[in-house]
Protein backbone atom coordinates (compact mmCIF):
# COMPACT_ATOMS: atom_id res chain seq x y z
CA UNK A 1 0.00 0.00 0.00
CA UNK A 2 1.29 3.46 -0.85
CA UNK A 3 2.50 5.34 2.22
CA UNK A 4 1.03 8.70 1.34
CA UNK A 5 -1.04 11.21 3.25
CA UNK A 6 -2.76 14.46 2.38
CA UNK A 7 -0.51 17.48 2.68
CA UNK A 8 -2.35 18.89 5.68
CA UNK A 9 -2.10 15.69 7.71
CA UNK A 10 0.55 13.57 9.37
CA UNK A 11 1.81 13.07 12.91
CA UNK A 12 3.62 16.19 14.06
CA UNK A 13 5.76 14.16 16.45
CA UNK A 14 7.40 12.49 13.44
CA UNK A 15 8.28 15.80 11.85
CA UNK A 16 11.95 16.67 11.25
CA UNK A 17 14.01 18.26 14.01
CA UNK A 18 15.85 21.47 13.31
CA UNK A 19 19.26 20.97 11.65
CA UNK A 20 21.90 20.23 14.30
CA UNK A 21 25.53 21.42 14.24
CA UNK A 22 26.64 17.97 15.41
CA UNK A 23 29.51 19.49 17.41
CA UNK A 24 30.61 19.31 21.06
CA UNK A 25 29.35 21.90 23.55
CA UNK A 26 31.69 24.83 24.15
CA UNK A 27 33.58 24.30 27.45
CA UNK A 28 32.77 27.82 28.66
CA UNK A 29 29.03 27.35 28.20
CA UNK A 30 29.17 23.90 29.81
CA UNK A 31 31.00 25.35 32.82
CA UNK A 32 28.37 28.05 33.31
CA UNK A 33 25.57 25.51 33.15
CA UNK A 34 27.35 23.26 35.64
CA UNK A 35 27.99 26.17 38.02
CA UNK A 36 24.27 27.03 38.05
CA UNK A 37 23.02 23.48 38.45
CA UNK A 38 21.93 24.20 42.06
CA UNK A 39 19.41 26.83 40.95
CA UNK A 40 16.03 25.37 41.77
CA UNK A 41 13.75 28.07 40.39
CA UNK A 42 13.09 28.91 36.75
CA UNK A 43 13.51 32.36 35.29
CA UNK A 44 10.48 34.64 35.72
CA UNK A 45 8.00 34.72 32.83
CA UNK A 46 9.72 36.26 29.82
CA UNK A 47 13.19 35.87 31.34
CA UNK A 48 15.08 37.64 34.09
CA UNK A 49 16.79 41.03 33.71
CA UNK A 50 20.26 39.61 33.01
CA UNK A 51 19.00 37.37 30.19
CA UNK A 52 16.87 40.12 28.66
CA UNK A 53 19.68 42.68 28.86
CA UNK A 54 21.97 40.23 27.06
CA UNK A 55 19.35 39.77 24.33
CA UNK A 56 18.96 43.54 24.01
CA UNK A 57 22.72 43.88 23.53
CA UNK A 58 22.65 41.13 20.90
CA UNK A 59 20.20 43.17 18.82
CA UNK A 60 21.92 46.52 19.47
CA UNK A 61 25.04 45.07 17.87
CA UNK A 62 22.95 44.27 14.79
CA UNK A 63 21.65 47.80 14.44
CA UNK A 64 18.28 47.29 16.16
CA UNK A 65 17.59 49.64 19.07
CA UNK A 66 16.47 47.36 21.87
CA UNK A 67 16.01 47.57 25.63
CA UNK A 68 15.35 44.83 28.14
CA UNK A 69 11.68 45.79 28.36
CA UNK A 70 11.32 45.08 24.62
CA UNK A 71 12.46 41.45 25.04
CA UNK A 72 10.71 38.22 25.99
CA UNK A 73 12.51 34.89 26.50
CA UNK A 74 11.05 31.39 26.43
CA UNK A 75 12.27 27.77 26.56
CA UNK A 76 12.55 27.31 22.82
CA UNK A 77 11.20 28.85 19.64
CA UNK A 78 8.08 26.67 19.46
CA UNK A 79 6.31 27.88 22.64
CA UNK A 80 7.45 31.42 21.93
CA UNK A 81 6.00 31.43 18.41
CA UNK A 82 2.79 29.86 19.66
CA UNK A 83 2.46 32.64 22.24
CA UNK A 84 3.16 35.33 19.63
CA UNK A 85 0.55 33.94 17.24
CA UNK A 86 -2.03 33.69 20.01
CA UNK A 87 -1.24 37.20 21.26
CA UNK A 88 -1.77 38.86 17.88
CA UNK A 89 -4.85 36.94 16.76
CA UNK A 90 -6.17 36.51 13.24
CA UNK A 91 -5.15 34.27 10.37
CA UNK A 92 -1.51 33.54 9.60
CA UNK A 93 0.32 33.81 6.28
CA UNK A 94 3.50 31.81 5.68
CA UNK A 95 5.91 31.39 2.77
CA UNK A 96 5.90 28.12 0.86
CA UNK A 97 8.05 26.27 1.78
CA UNK A 98 8.62 27.23 5.41
CA UNK A 99 10.13 25.67 8.55
CA UNK A 100 8.35 22.46 9.42
CA UNK A 101 7.38 23.62 12.91
CA UNK A 102 5.62 26.87 11.93
CA UNK A 103 2.31 25.55 10.61
CA UNK A 104 1.61 23.24 13.57
CA UNK A 105 1.90 26.19 15.95
CA UNK A 106 -0.91 28.02 14.18
CA UNK A 107 -3.10 24.96 13.78
CA UNK A 108 -2.62 23.94 17.40
CA UNK A 109 -4.57 26.99 18.51
CA UNK A 110 -7.07 26.79 15.65
CA UNK A 111 -5.69 29.61 13.52
CA UNK A 112 -6.02 29.22 9.76
CA UNK A 113 -2.63 29.23 8.05
CA UNK A 114 -2.22 30.13 4.38
CA UNK A 115 0.93 29.46 2.38
CA UNK A 116 2.16 32.07 -0.09
CA UNK A 117 4.57 31.15 -2.92
CA UNK A 118 8.14 32.41 -2.74
CA UNK A 119 10.03 33.83 -5.74
CA UNK A 120 12.41 31.75 -7.79
CA UNK A 121 15.61 33.23 -6.37
CA UNK A 122 15.06 32.43 -2.69
CA UNK A 123 12.80 31.06 0.01
CA UNK A 124 11.71 32.43 3.36
CA UNK A 125 10.01 35.58 2.06
CA UNK A 126 6.79 35.50 0.02
CA UNK A 127 6.49 37.01 -3.42
CA UNK A 128 4.97 40.47 -2.77
CA UNK A 129 2.34 40.19 -5.52
CA UNK A 130 1.35 36.70 -4.43
CA UNK A 131 1.09 38.02 -0.87
CA UNK A 132 -1.30 40.78 -1.87
CA UNK A 133 -3.40 38.36 -3.90
CA UNK A 134 -3.54 35.89 -1.00
CA UNK A 135 -4.64 38.60 1.42
CA UNK A 136 -7.35 39.69 -1.00
CA UNK A 137 -8.57 36.14 -1.50
CA UNK A 138 -8.59 35.27 2.21
CA UNK A 139 -10.57 38.40 3.03
CA UNK A 140 -13.01 37.73 0.21
CA UNK A 141 -13.62 34.31 1.75
CA UNK A 142 -14.34 35.84 5.15
CA UNK A 143 -10.90 35.37 6.71
CA UNK A 144 -8.97 37.87 8.80
CA UNK A 145 -5.24 37.79 7.95
CA UNK A 146 -3.22 39.61 10.59
CA UNK A 147 0.19 37.96 10.76
CA UNK A 148 2.95 37.27 8.26
CA UNK A 149 5.75 34.89 9.22
CA UNK A 150 8.97 35.07 7.25
CA UNK A 151 12.69 34.30 7.56
CA UNK A 152 15.36 36.25 5.71
CA UNK A 153 17.88 33.44 6.36
CA UNK A 154 15.71 30.48 5.61
CA UNK A 155 15.14 26.93 6.72
CA UNK A 156 14.52 24.83 4.64
CA UNK A 157 15.91 26.45 1.48
CA UNK A 158 19.17 27.71 3.07
CA UNK A 159 18.86 30.94 1.08
CA UNK A 160 19.10 34.59 2.12
CA UNK A 161 16.45 36.89 0.70
CA UNK A 162 17.82 39.96 -1.12
CA UNK A 163 17.10 43.26 0.65
CA UNK A 164 14.94 44.62 -2.17
CA UNK A 165 12.62 41.61 -1.95
CA UNK A 166 12.42 41.90 1.84
CA UNK A 167 11.52 45.57 1.52
CA UNK A 168 8.80 44.96 -1.07
CA UNK A 169 7.25 42.10 0.89
CA UNK A 170 7.31 44.04 4.16
CA UNK A 171 5.82 47.15 2.59
CA UNK A 172 3.05 45.07 1.04
CA UNK A 173 2.33 43.37 4.38
CA UNK A 174 2.28 46.59 6.39
CA UNK A 175 0.08 48.30 3.81
CA UNK A 176 -2.45 45.50 4.31
CA UNK A 177 -2.35 45.88 8.09
CA UNK A 178 -0.33 42.73 8.79
CA UNK A 179 2.12 42.43 11.65
CA UNK A 180 5.36 40.64 10.71
CA UNK A 181 7.15 38.01 12.76
CA UNK A 182 10.68 37.67 11.43
CA UNK A 183 12.40 34.41 12.40
CA UNK A 184 16.11 35.28 12.36
CA UNK A 185 17.40 32.11 13.97
CA UNK A 186 19.82 31.47 11.10
CA UNK A 187 21.11 35.00 10.53
CA UNK A 188 24.44 34.19 12.24
CA UNK A 189 25.09 31.10 10.11
CA UNK A 190 25.92 32.81 6.81
CA UNK A 191 28.40 30.73 4.84
CA UNK A 192 30.07 33.76 3.23
CA UNK A 193 29.16 36.78 5.38
CA UNK A 194 31.49 39.07 3.45
CA UNK A 195 29.53 38.35 0.24
CA UNK A 196 25.97 38.14 1.61
CA UNK A 197 23.78 41.07 2.60
CA UNK A 198 21.20 40.22 5.25
CA UNK A 199 18.70 42.91 6.15
CA UNK A 200 16.21 42.44 8.96
CA UNK A 201 12.60 43.48 8.31
CA UNK A 202 12.82 45.31 11.65
CA UNK A 203 15.32 47.71 10.07
CA UNK A 204 12.77 48.61 7.39
CA UNK A 205 9.52 48.58 9.36
CA UNK A 206 10.57 49.09 12.98
CA UNK A 207 7.03 49.58 14.29
CA UNK A 208 5.54 46.53 12.61
CA UNK A 209 8.02 43.69 13.12
CA UNK A 210 8.66 41.30 15.99
CA UNK A 211 11.97 39.45 15.68
CA UNK A 212 12.34 35.86 16.88
CA UNK A 213 15.70 34.17 17.45
CA UNK A 214 16.36 30.64 18.69
CA UNK A 215 19.78 30.35 20.31
CA UNK A 216 20.06 26.88 18.80
CA UNK A 217 20.73 28.51 15.44
CA UNK A 218 24.31 29.57 16.15
CA UNK A 219 24.87 30.29 19.83
CA UNK A 220 23.88 27.30 21.95
CA UNK A 221 23.08 23.57 21.69
CA UNK A 222 19.58 22.66 20.58
CA UNK A 223 19.22 20.57 23.75
CA UNK A 224 19.39 23.80 25.80
CA UNK A 225 16.01 25.36 24.94
CA UNK A 226 16.09 29.14 24.86
CA UNK A 227 14.66 31.61 22.36
CA UNK A 228 14.12 35.35 22.54
CA UNK A 229 11.74 37.77 20.85
CA UNK A 230 12.28 41.47 20.27
CA UNK A 231 9.10 43.53 20.19
CA UNK A 232 8.94 46.90 18.43
CA UNK A 233 10.27 49.52 20.88
CA UNK A 234 7.20 51.24 22.26
CA UNK A 235 6.68 54.97 21.80
CA UNK A 236 4.02 56.97 23.65
CA UNK A 237 1.93 57.29 20.51
CA UNK A 238 1.96 53.52 19.92
CA UNK A 239 2.11 52.16 23.46
CA UNK A 240 -1.44 50.84 23.50
CA UNK A 241 -0.96 49.09 20.17
CA UNK A 242 2.10 47.06 21.08
CA UNK A 243 2.42 46.89 24.87
CA UNK A 244 -0.67 44.69 24.95
CA UNK A 245 0.90 42.19 22.57
CA UNK A 246 3.98 41.80 24.76
CA UNK A 247 1.86 41.58 27.90
CA UNK A 248 -0.43 39.04 26.26
CA UNK A 249 2.59 37.02 25.14
CA UNK A 250 3.83 36.95 28.74
CA UNK A 251 0.38 35.86 29.93
CA UNK A 252 0.36 32.96 27.49
CA UNK A 253 3.89 31.84 28.34
CA UNK A 254 2.97 31.95 32.03
CA UNK A 255 -0.18 29.91 31.45
CA UNK A 256 1.86 27.34 29.54
CA UNK A 257 4.55 27.21 32.20
CA UNK A 258 6.96 28.06 29.39
CA UNK A 259 9.76 29.44 31.57
CA UNK A 260 13.49 29.34 30.83
CA UNK A 261 15.16 26.86 33.23
CA UNK A 262 17.12 28.66 35.94
CA UNK A 263 20.40 26.76 35.45
CA UNK A 264 20.31 27.48 31.72
CA UNK A 265 19.86 31.25 32.00
CA UNK A 266 23.50 32.19 32.82
CA UNK A 267 24.83 30.16 29.87
CA UNK A 268 22.18 31.61 27.54
CA UNK A 269 22.99 35.17 28.65
CA UNK A 270 26.71 34.48 28.15
CA UNK A 271 26.05 33.19 24.62
CA UNK A 272 23.95 36.27 23.79
CA UNK A 273 26.76 38.51 25.07
CA UNK A 274 28.88 36.92 22.29
CA UNK A 275 32.32 36.66 23.89
CA UNK A 276 35.18 35.58 21.68
CA UNK A 277 34.84 31.84 22.30
CA UNK A 278 31.20 31.93 21.22
CA UNK A 279 31.74 34.07 18.14
CA UNK A 280 34.78 32.09 16.98
CA UNK A 281 32.89 28.80 17.32
CA UNK A 282 29.85 30.22 15.51
CA UNK A 283 31.99 31.47 12.63
CA UNK A 284 33.92 28.21 12.30
CA UNK A 285 30.72 26.17 12.47
CA UNK A 286 29.07 28.27 9.78
CA UNK A 287 32.14 27.95 7.57
CA UNK A 288 32.28 24.18 8.07
CA UNK A 289 28.63 23.66 7.20
CA UNK A 290 28.96 26.06 4.28
CA UNK A 291 31.80 24.03 2.77
CA UNK A 292 29.91 20.78 3.21
CA UNK A 293 26.69 22.32 1.89
CA UNK A 294 28.55 23.47 -1.24
CA UNK A 295 29.75 19.90 -1.83
CA UNK A 296 26.26 18.50 -1.27
CA UNK A 297 24.82 21.11 -3.63
CA UNK A 298 27.38 20.14 -6.28
CA UNK A 299 26.43 16.47 -5.94
CA UNK A 300 22.74 17.31 -6.32
CA UNK A 301 23.37 19.24 -9.53
CA UNK A 302 25.74 16.59 -10.86
CA UNK A 303 22.99 13.99 -10.48
CA UNK A 304 20.66 16.10 -12.63
CA UNK A 305 18.50 17.44 -9.79
CA UNK A 306 17.94 21.08 -8.82
CA UNK A 307 18.73 23.17 -5.76
CA UNK A 308 19.27 26.81 -4.95
CA UNK A 309 22.87 27.53 -3.87
CA UNK A 310 22.96 27.31 -0.04
CA UNK A 311 23.90 30.56 1.69
CA UNK A 312 23.12 29.92 5.37
CA UNK A 313 22.27 27.22 7.85
CA UNK A 314 23.03 23.51 7.82
CA UNK A 315 21.03 22.05 4.99
CA UNK A 316 20.39 21.86 1.25
CA UNK A 317 16.87 21.83 -0.18
CA UNK A 318 16.76 19.80 -3.39
CA UNK A 319 14.15 19.31 -6.10
CA UNK A 320 14.50 15.79 -7.48
CA UNK A 321 11.73 16.33 -10.00
CA UNK A 322 14.12 15.87 -12.97
CA UNK A 323 14.79 12.36 -11.64
CA UNK A 324 11.09 11.49 -11.51
CA UNK A 325 11.35 8.59 -13.98
CA UNK A 326 14.09 6.84 -12.05
CA UNK A 327 12.29 7.42 -8.78
CA UNK A 328 9.01 6.11 -10.18
CA UNK A 329 10.80 2.93 -11.20
CA UNK A 330 11.60 2.50 -7.52
CA UNK A 331 8.01 3.16 -6.44
CA UNK A 332 8.64 6.78 -5.43
CA UNK A 333 5.99 9.15 -6.77
CA UNK A 334 5.57 11.79 -4.05
CA UNK A 335 7.60 13.51 -1.33
CA UNK A 336 6.48 11.16 1.45
CA UNK A 337 7.69 8.16 -0.51
CA UNK A 338 10.83 10.12 -1.38
CA UNK A 339 11.41 10.77 2.32
CA UNK A 340 11.08 7.07 3.11
CA UNK A 341 13.33 6.00 0.23
CA UNK A 342 16.15 8.49 0.87
CA UNK A 343 16.09 8.03 4.64
CA UNK A 344 16.48 4.28 4.22
CA UNK A 345 19.08 4.56 1.44
CA UNK A 346 21.25 7.15 3.21
CA UNK A 347 20.74 5.89 6.74
CA UNK A 348 19.80 9.32 8.07
CA UNK A 349 16.50 11.25 8.25
CA UNK A 350 15.78 13.09 4.99
CA UNK A 351 12.49 14.99 5.42
CA UNK A 352 10.39 15.41 2.30
CA UNK A 353 9.11 18.72 1.04
CA UNK A 354 5.58 18.06 2.36
CA UNK A 355 6.99 18.63 5.85
CA UNK A 356 7.70 22.23 4.88
CA UNK A 357 4.39 23.04 3.24
CA UNK A 358 5.37 22.09 -0.31
CA UNK A 359 3.00 20.11 -2.48
CA UNK A 360 2.98 16.37 -1.80
CA UNK A 361 3.46 15.63 -5.50
CA UNK A 362 6.64 17.70 -5.69
CA UNK A 363 9.74 15.54 -5.25
CA UNK A 364 11.63 17.79 -2.85
CA UNK A 365 13.71 16.94 0.21
CA UNK A 366 16.02 18.59 2.73
CA UNK A 367 19.51 17.18 3.32
CA UNK A 368 21.16 18.12 6.62
CA UNK A 369 24.88 18.76 6.41
CA UNK A 370 25.62 17.51 9.95
CA UNK A 371 25.12 13.96 8.64
CA UNK A 372 28.37 14.30 6.65
CA UNK A 373 30.62 15.38 9.53
CA UNK A 374 31.20 11.96 11.05
CA UNK A 375 29.60 9.46 13.40
CA UNK A 376 31.72 10.21 16.47
CA UNK A 377 32.54 13.34 18.45
CA UNK A 378 36.19 12.94 17.49
CA UNK A 379 35.40 12.91 13.76
CA UNK A 380 33.13 15.94 14.02
CA UNK A 381 35.71 17.86 16.04
CA UNK A 382 38.34 16.99 13.43
CA UNK A 383 36.05 18.34 10.70
CA UNK A 384 35.59 21.59 12.64
CA UNK A 385 39.35 22.08 12.95
CA UNK A 386 40.18 21.23 9.34
CA UNK A 387 40.64 24.01 6.74
CA UNK A 388 39.50 21.52 4.08
CA UNK A 389 36.93 19.26 5.75
CA UNK A 390 35.84 17.75 2.43
CA UNK A 391 39.26 16.09 2.11
CA UNK A 392 39.00 14.24 5.43
CA UNK A 393 38.51 10.52 4.73
CA UNK A 394 35.26 10.15 6.66
CA UNK A 395 33.72 13.30 5.16
CA UNK A 396 34.87 12.38 1.66
CA UNK A 397 33.36 8.89 2.04
CA UNK A 398 30.03 10.32 3.18
CA UNK A 399 29.92 12.75 0.27
CA UNK A 400 30.88 10.03 -2.21
CA UNK A 401 28.18 7.71 -0.89
CA UNK A 402 25.65 10.53 -1.13
CA UNK A 403 26.59 11.23 -4.74
CA UNK A 404 26.29 7.55 -5.63
CA UNK A 405 22.83 7.36 -4.03
CA UNK A 406 21.65 10.26 -6.18
CA UNK A 407 23.34 9.04 -9.35
CA UNK A 408 21.58 5.69 -9.18
CA UNK A 409 18.21 7.50 -9.32
CA UNK A 410 18.94 8.57 -12.87
CA UNK A 411 18.92 4.98 -14.12
Amino acid sequence: MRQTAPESRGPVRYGPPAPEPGLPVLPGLAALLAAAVDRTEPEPPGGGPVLREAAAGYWWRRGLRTHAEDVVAAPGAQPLLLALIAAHGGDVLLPRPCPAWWTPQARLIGRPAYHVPTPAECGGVPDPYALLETVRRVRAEGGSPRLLLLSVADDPTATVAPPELVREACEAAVAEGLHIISDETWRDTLHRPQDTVLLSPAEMCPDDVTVLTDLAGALAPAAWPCAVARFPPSAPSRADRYADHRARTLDILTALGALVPGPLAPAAAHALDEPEDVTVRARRTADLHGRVAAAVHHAVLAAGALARPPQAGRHVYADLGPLRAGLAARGVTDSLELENHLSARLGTPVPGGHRFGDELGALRARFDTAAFLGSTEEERTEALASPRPGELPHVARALSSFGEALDELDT
Side-chain angles (χ1 to χ4, degrees), residues 208-229:
D208 299 286
V209 178
T210 297
V211 180
L212 170 68
T213 297
D214 190 339
L215 272 64
L219 301 178
W224 299 8
C226 186
V228 287

Side-chain angles (χ1 to χ4, degrees), residues 116-130:
V116 184
T118 53
E121 65 265 31
C122 69
V125 176
D127 177 89
Y129 297 102

Side-chain angles (χ1 to χ4, degrees), residues 381-407:
T381 301
E382 184 182 9
L384 180 65
S386 174
R388 292 179 292 276
E391 297 179 6
L392 295 174
H394 65 276
V395 177
R397 284 194 301 271
L399 290 169
S400 176
S401 177
F402 174 74
E404 291 171 0
L406 292 185
D407 288 340

